[in-house]
Amino acid sequence: MTAAHDSSPCNARTTALRDFIYGGKYEEVHMGMRAIVMELDNIPASGQTFAERADLSYGQLRELTMRLGSAREIASDSRRMGALFEWCAVAAPDLFPILSGHFSLSMGTILRLGRDNAPERSWLNQLDDASSLGVFLITELGYGSNVAALRTQAIWKSERRHFLLHTPEEIATKFMPNVAGKDLPLLTVVAARLIVDGEDEGVFPFVVPLRTEDGTAPGVHILEMPDKGFAPMDNALIRFNQVPVPEHAWLTGGTAWFDAAGRFACSIPDLKDRFRQTVQQLRTGRVMLAAGTLAAARAGLWLTYDYALQRRTAGDVPMIERDNVALGLLSCLSRVYAASAFGNAVRARLPAQEEGRLTGPEEDAKTELLCSLAKPLLSWTARDVLQECRERCGAQGMFRANRIPDYLGITQAVITAEGENQVLQISAGRSLAARVEGESGWAVGADQQGTSQWHGLLRLRERILAEESAHAGWANTHALDLADAAATRMAAQSLHEEAERAPDAARRLLHTLGVLYAAEQVRARAGWFAAHAELSAERAEQLTRDIDQAHTELLPRMPELMGAFGFERGSPRSLMGRNDVDEWVRLIHT
């Protein structure tokens, strides 16, 4: 079994594959963003504390905003913002975790729910050049994924026409936003429960300048938290003690107001719908962060592949010639290509809704569902691929200088951030089961022409699980299985559909990747298919033959499949495979 050794091919097929990976936006959007962000790319230094690394990342944010121009324009353009997230994950993983709070959640919420008045323009200007860091405060010590139950209060005082932001009990302490840094001005958006005349009116966002150049706002108590195991940030616990918040800092998008007498009114009667409006930006952040982890996985795959080309094993055999390495990388490639296709399809809905091409409650609900399915599939794919890379690179893969540990770290953080993956899957699975019951009629596991029998089995599994879930009550395990089946089928379907649209040079190669992905997903769930009498001994043998055939076809094309990611030797920077002792020693003393 032999793999080609040209590590940086450039031909029509590679170009077509690159268009596939980047949703046809590489030259239009990604190329310019890549050139700017990759200037931040440095081999991670040793001996830095988490606080030092977090401080450096804020400096990188300010540097980026100077180079990119208006941060407001980026936050308003989901395509550019997506490219920013992806390339920061690759070149500046310490910066990556703060992007969502600054761009998507803080600036995005102000832009979406603001009223374009003078105070809001001032806040946006502060975020525009990163003179203030934007952070979204929602999670509380006692309320993680169930943030709809959060307890922080914004108590309306009609006589003064302002709110008092208050933490009524310990469990309502805001948990782990990155605000512990001592000198950084902070402009936060705080999710709090509006209390009017003792009545709960639901959760709304409030803009709170937590820290200015004059210091922390009166009544705000910030407690630094201990280090996490990954993703260095200046995490903190935050308590509010009757902090005055002006009326204009209340973000409602015009759906709620107080009249001249201070009486509350809202055009959204249901408190759950008010909460959904408050946290709508989270779904954008979910997809952007998850797509960023996938970009990190592509970088990890490239570094591992490049290392395998150089590394000599027993008998002077190149590491890439070992079948366990080459076939493992092919499996990773099929998963990354499928997840990239699915992620691109979901992200394409965001600008479509921004531009009014997808409107109405049904389209909005579908976008919400797809985002909740995409984040777990993308981030778990990235985790599994990066773990494979870490192990195949052996001891080299353990060093931050070789990037993979940092990529794994941000991926673990994303798995939890902005909706923990399993919680999102449970919500999505329940929604899918309800659709099968006929509440909306949106097709689940619809038939698709021109695909392999393994694609058909993935669709069949989704349909069976949907039917079973519809009659199984709201058991979380059923919802998890259905969400997994739907996301896996959608990834396989997205890869197939994009392959159909690809130029002739790449179409067969992408279809073969799709067969490999679908077949390996069936093999991973062989017990379920056998239990449902869908995987006989003869069919299992055919499954193995199809996987082997896909390996045979794909192995010579590995350089082009890797080359499509847009990397080259030495980028991202690492010490992987360098046999220069001075380079390693120099890193310790820089």
Side-chain angles (χ1 to χ4, degrees):
M1 181 168 290
T2 302
H5 284 203
D6 179 8
S7 63
S8 55
C10 184
N11 55 36
R13 187 180 291 112
T14 301
T15 300
L17 293 172
R18 187 167 299 169
D19 285 341
F20 173 93
I21 288 292
Y22 294 104
K25 303 295 181 183
Y26 185 76
E27 291 189 4
E28 176 187 349
V29 178
H30 281 265
M31 187 179 291
M33 188 66 72
R34 178 192 188 279
I36 292 173
V37 176
M38 291 300 283
E39 291 181 17
L40 302 176
D41 183 28
N42 286 304
I43 296 175
S46 293
Q48 295 173 322
T49 66
F50 266 30
E52 289 170 338
R53 289 170 62 185
D55 189 56
L56 286 172
S57 70
Y58 298 134
Q60 289 179 322
L61 179 64
R62 287 188 290 270
E63 185 178 348
L64 264 186
T65 55
M66 290 175 60
R67 296 180 182 180
L68 291 171
S70 171
R72 188 178 335 189
E73 291 181 5
I74 294 173
S76 302
D77 184 344
S78 57
R79 296 181 185 91
R80 288 189 72 204
M81 188 162 63
L84 174 65
F85 275 60
E86 289 192 30
W87 292 106
C88 280
V90 171
D94 283 356
L95 169 61
F96 175 73
I98 71 175
L99 294 178
S100 185
H102 187 82
F103 286 93
S104 176
L105 298 182
S106 297
M107 186 174 284
T109 299
I110 294 172
L111 288 170
R112 183 172 56 84
L113 297 178
R115 301 179 184 180
D116 193 28
N117 54 33
E120 287 172 6
R121 289 191 288 273
S122 174
W123 296 330
L124 290 170
N125 287 339
Q126 294 173 49
L127 298 175
D128 220 24
D129 61 2
S131 56
S132 290
L133 176 70
V135 185
F136 194 70
L137 276 60
I138 182 167
T139 304
E140 296 179 355
L141 186 60
Y143 301 93
S145 294
N146 58 331
V147 288
L150 63 81
R151 304 294 292 276
T152 299
Q153 297 177 344
I155 305 166
W156 173 244
K157 296 295 180 180
S158 59
E159 66 280 5
R160 297 199 175 186
R161 296 196 74 89
H162 73 193
F163 307 92
L164 292 179
L165 195 61
H166 189 62
T167 304
E169 51 191 321
E170 290 293 295
I171 61 172
T173 302
K174 291 297 183 184
F175 181 77
M176 75 174 285
N178 51 306
V179 299
K182 300 297 186 292
D183 302 320
L184 187 69
L186 299 164
L187 187 70
T188 64
V189 177
V190 181
R193 191 166 298 282
L194 176 62
I195 305 297
V196 181
D197 297 328
E199 294 293 323
D200 175 7
E201 297 293 352
V203 175
F204 288 90
F206 299 82
V207 178
V208 181
L210 211 64
R211 186 187 299 119
T212 67
E213 293 179 352
D214 298 325
T216 303
V220 175
H221 302 278
I222 299 175
L223 307 171
E224 186 174 1
M225 294 183 69
D227 289 347
K228 305 190 299 295
F230 41 77
M233 301 171 76
D234 54 327
N235 298 115
L237 298 165
I238 304 100
R239 291 199 297 259
F240 303 101
N241 184 16
Q242 306 289 329
V243 178
V245 176
E247 184 177 0
H248 65 251
W250 179 38
L251 301 177
T252 72
T255 62
W257 59 92
F258 290 99
D259 65 16
R263 292 184 294 265
F264 173 77
C266 185
S267 61
I268 303 176
D270 191 285
L271 268 60
K272 290 182 179 179
D273 290 336
R274 296 175 191 175
F275 174 76
R276 291 190 188 98
Q277 175 182 257
T278 295
V279 300
Q280 185 175 341
Q281 285 298 122
L282 285 173
R283 73 184 184 190
T284 300
R286 285 169 186 156
V287 179
M288 298 297 178
L289 288 172
T293 67
L294 205 58
R298 293 195 291 263
L301 262 179
W302 166 259
L303 289 168
T304 303
Y305 173 67
D306 191 49
Y307 176 63
L309 290 174
Q310 303 171 60
R311 185 72 167 184
R312 316 302 289 188
T313 65
D316 202 36
V317 176
M319 181 175 160
I320 194 64
E321 300 290 350
R322 301 297 186 182
D323 60 351
N324 63 302
V325 175
L327 299 186
L329 292 180
L330 280 179
S331 176
C332 288
L333 279 168
S334 73
R335 284 178 279 168
V336 163
Y337 270 77
S340 296
F342 184 32
N344 289 338
V346 175
R347 284 193 296 174
R349 294 185 65 85
L350 301 177
Q353 289 199 309
E354 291 168 4
E355 297 160 9
R357 289 182 282 116
L358 290 175
T359 58
E362 175 61 18
E363 291 294 348
D364 191 64
K366 185 174 181 179
T367 299
E368 180 71 30
L369 174 60
L370 289 172
C371 290
S372 295
L373 290 170
K375 178 180 178 274
L377 185 130
L378 269 61
S379 56
W380 275 333
T381 296
R383 178 202 61 191
D384 294 345
V385 166
L386 285 165
Q387 187 60 32
E388 175 84 7
C389 293
R390 212 297 304 152
E391 293 179 13
R392 294 295 73 74
C393 291
Q396 295 263 1
M398 299 169 68
F399 288 90
R400 288 191 59 229
N402 290 331
R403 315 312 290 259
I404 294 174
D406 281 1
Y407 293 160
L408 274 167
I410 61 173
T411 300
Q412 286 289 353
V414 168
I415 287 169
T416 298
E418 299 187 22
E420 193 273 330
N421 277 2
Q422 273 206 352
V423 174
L424 291 178
Q425 282 193 314
I426 290 168
S427 174
R430 290 178 173 180
S431 177
L432 286 166
R435 290 171 183 272
V436 170
E437 290 175 323
E439 292 187 6
S440 71
W442 185 45
V444 173
D447 287 332
Q448 187 181 21
Q449 298 298 315
T451 54
S452 71
Q453 63 175 309
W454 316 121
H455 288 79
L457 285 183
L458 294 180
R459 293 193 296 273
L460 177 65
R461 179 171 182 258
E462 182 186 8
R463 284 198 295 269
I464 291 174
L465 286 171
E467 292 164 1
E468 292 176 350
S469 296
H471 302 290
W474 293 118
N476 286 348
T477 52
H478 288 285
L480 286 169
D481 288 344
L482 176 54
D484 169 74
T488 302
R489 186 270 303 172
M490 289 177 186
Q493 177 177 324
S494 298
L495 175 48
H496 175 80
E497 290 175 349
E498 286 304 309
E500 286 289 284
R501 288 190 280 266
D504 292 343
R507 187 177 301 126
R508 178 174 174 80
L509 185 55
L510 288 169
H511 276 312
T512 305
L513 271 175
V515 171
L516 179 59
Y517 176 76
E520 289 194 329
Q521 296 305 309
V522 169
R523 184 168 64 179
R525 297 159 179 82
W528 187 93
F529 286 109
H532 287 76
E534 295 295 339
L535 194 63
S536 63
E538 293 76 16
R539 207 172 199 180
E541 289 178 1
Q542 184 62 51
L543 179 67
T544 300
R545 286 195 296 271
D546 283 1
I547 291 173
D548 289 344
Q549 179 61 34
H551 287 158
T552 300
E553 292 185 28
L554 292 171
L555 195 62
R557 300 300 182 188
M558 195 185 297
E560 293 161 311
L561 292 168
M562 292 287 185
F565 297 159
F567 304 122
E568 55 197 24
R569 182 159 293 173
S571 176
R573 297 176 185 170
S574 79
L575 298 184
M576 193 90 77
R578 294 193 193 179
N579 296 320
D580 187 341
V581 173
D582 289 342
E583 287 280 353
W584 288 90
V585 174
R586 191 178 300 118
L587 181 64
I588 299 171
H589 298 290
T590 54

